[in-house]
């Protein structure tokens, strides 16, 4: 009897310890929000555009991007005095409960970015479902809603295509930044660095890009493309930079993995192509007479990717001259980037952090005036070491 009673008590205790599904949600009750677009209306309200997956169309979709029964995503919009209000009002148009745990992309309009993003980041950090690992881009020349509405031909979901473009463009080209919300908030929260974000634009007609026919043609009527870097001062967009200037910023930020440089040779522009395979950037601060200065040293290795003129690449003295020309080109890009940031009085490079490490006491004195007074007048020295490790298959172009 005692044995049976002890067994009963044990089983009862185990039952009490078992976890229950008190917060369960059926999949058929959830609307998975993959991306969020944020704009401002003429009345000053937030316009939230939610890209929601159409599960049936994605599951049975063809490689072209369309599904058996229609497009893979739907866009739901709503307005509100705050981002939270706008997103909750969207439930009036959706037959399921909005679920943000899989939101991987946030697109912010240029207009909203110039006004400031403090309120946007606040609600995203507080939301219990939202992940701050979501990627962040700025819609350039178009609204965030238009960007999310374009159907893409390779990836079924356009948000995923943008995320993949950010990843591989930074890896292969070096003029864009693959940044998430957590890193952006961290840069805004500290006084030693300001954030940099990648721009997204639309090539073609945005109205035609919404239609399924856009992914049924070898030449889509509208394409999404990455377009330059947005420089921020605190939480406000202040300037766009493109091309070599954007690449110069990535050099300083040590975000260059692979990129291409072209240099003139014997009177011919862009005669020699060079592809980096690895690089490293060292940023150091020096203090002299109470004034900080910065030294930047860039070391890169790579290979010749193209020669448009007949030269003998087996000649080591010629390769040495080519390295010097590549160093001059990289230094020019970095100098342009630094001057662009100094004109806008925004330290996007983290030079303030270098000064803080070198002289903590001095930093406490100049911290509040760093961006507006000290950074624009900062003396920056740039040195580069570019090494040609390989010339690929040919030493002498045919």
């Amino acid at each position: 009897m005692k044995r049976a009673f002890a067994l009963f008590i044990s089983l009862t205790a185990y039952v009490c310890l078992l976890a229950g599904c008190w917060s369960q949600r059926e999949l058929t009750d959830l609307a998975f929000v993959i991306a969020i677009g944020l704009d401002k209306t003429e009345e000053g309200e937030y316009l939230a555009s939610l890209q929601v997956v159409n599960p049936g169309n994605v599951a049975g979709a063809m490689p072209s991007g369309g599904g058996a029964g229609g497009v893979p995503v739907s866009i739901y919009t709503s307005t509100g005095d705050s981002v939270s209000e706008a997103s909750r009002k969207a439930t009036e148009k959706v037959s399921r409960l909005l679920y943000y745990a899989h939101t991987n992309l946030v697109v912010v309009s240029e207009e909203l970015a110039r006004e400031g993003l403090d309120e946007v980041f606040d609600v995203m950090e507080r939301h219990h479902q939202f992940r701050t690992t979501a990627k962040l881009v700025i819609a350039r020349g178009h609204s965030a809603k238009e960007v999310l509405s374009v159907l893409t031909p390779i990836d079924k979901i356009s948000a995923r295509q943008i995320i993949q473009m950010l990843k591989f463009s930074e890896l292969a080209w070096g003029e864009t930044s693959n940044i998430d919300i957590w890193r952006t908030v961290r840069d805004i929260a500290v006084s030693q660095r300001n954030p940099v974000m990648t721009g997204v634009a639309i090539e073609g007609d945005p109205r035609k890009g919404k239609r399924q026919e856009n992914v049924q043609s070898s030449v889509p009527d509208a394409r999404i493309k990455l377009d330059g870097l947005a420089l921020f001062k605190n939480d406000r967009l202040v300037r766009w930079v493109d091309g070599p200037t954007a690449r110069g910023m990535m050099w300083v930020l040590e975000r260059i993995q692979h990129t291409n440089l072209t240099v003139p040779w014997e009177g011919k522009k862009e005669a020699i192509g060079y592809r980096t395979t690895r690089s490293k950037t060292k940023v150091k601060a020096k203090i002299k007479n109470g004034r900080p200065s910065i030294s930047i040293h860039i070391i890169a290795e790579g290979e010749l990717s193209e020669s448009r003129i007949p030269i003998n690449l087996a000649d080591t003295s010629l390769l040495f001259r080519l390295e010097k020309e590549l160093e001059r080109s990289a230094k020019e890009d970095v100098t342009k980037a630094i001057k662009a940031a100094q004109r806008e009085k925004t330290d996007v490079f983290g030079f303030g952090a270098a000064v803080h490490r070198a002289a903590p006491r001095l930093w406490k004195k100049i911290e509040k005036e760093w961006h507006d007074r000290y950074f624009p007048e900062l003396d920056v020295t740039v040195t580069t070491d570019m090494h040609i490790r390989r010339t690929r298959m040919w030493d002498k172009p045919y």
Side-chain angles (χ1 to χ4, degrees), residues 53 73 108 121 219 245 257 268 280 292 302 304 334 338 362 398:
V53 174
V73 295
V108 180
F121 294 138
V219 184
T245 304
Q257 299 182 58
K268 184 178 181 64
K280 185 173 182 60
L304 293 184
V334 172
I338 294 171
L362 174 63
Y398 62 86

Side-chain angles (χ1 to χ4, degrees), residues 208-263:
K208 294 182 179 180
K210 301 176 183 179
R211 302 171 183 171
Q212 193 167 5
E213 289 80 3
N214 193 59
V215 297
Q216 296 174 338
S217 170
S218 60
V219 184
D221 294 309
R223 294 178 186 267
I224 297 174
K225 70 169 186 175
L226 305 184
D227 191 13
L229 291 177
L231 306 190
F232 277 70
K233 186 172 184 180
N234 298 324
D235 68 320
R236 298 175 185 271
L237 189 157
V238 293
R239 178 174 177 172
W240 290 97
V241 294
D242 302 277
T245 304
R247 183 171 55 208
M249 291 194 168
M250 294 296 101
W251 277 119
V252 181
L253 293 172
E254 204 175 16
R255 301 295 295 273
I256 292 287
Q257 299 182 58
H258 303 286
T259 190
N260 272 65
L261 298 176
T262 54
V263 294

Side-chain angles (χ1 to χ4, degrees), residues 41-72:
T41 66
E42 295 181 357
E43 294 76 21
E45 291 185 313
Y46 286 97
L47 173 64
S49 302
L50 309 180
Q51 188 180 86
V52 179
V53 174
N54 295 328
N57 295 341
V58 172
M62 299 297 290
S64 61
V71 294

Side-chain angles (χ1 to χ4, degrees), residues 25 151 158 207 231 238 247 266 278 281 339:
R25 293 287 188 274
L151 298 178
S158 60
R207 294 173 297 180
L231 306 190
V238 293
R247 183 171 55 208
E266 296 180 355
R278 61 175 61 89
T281 302
K339 289 182 177 179

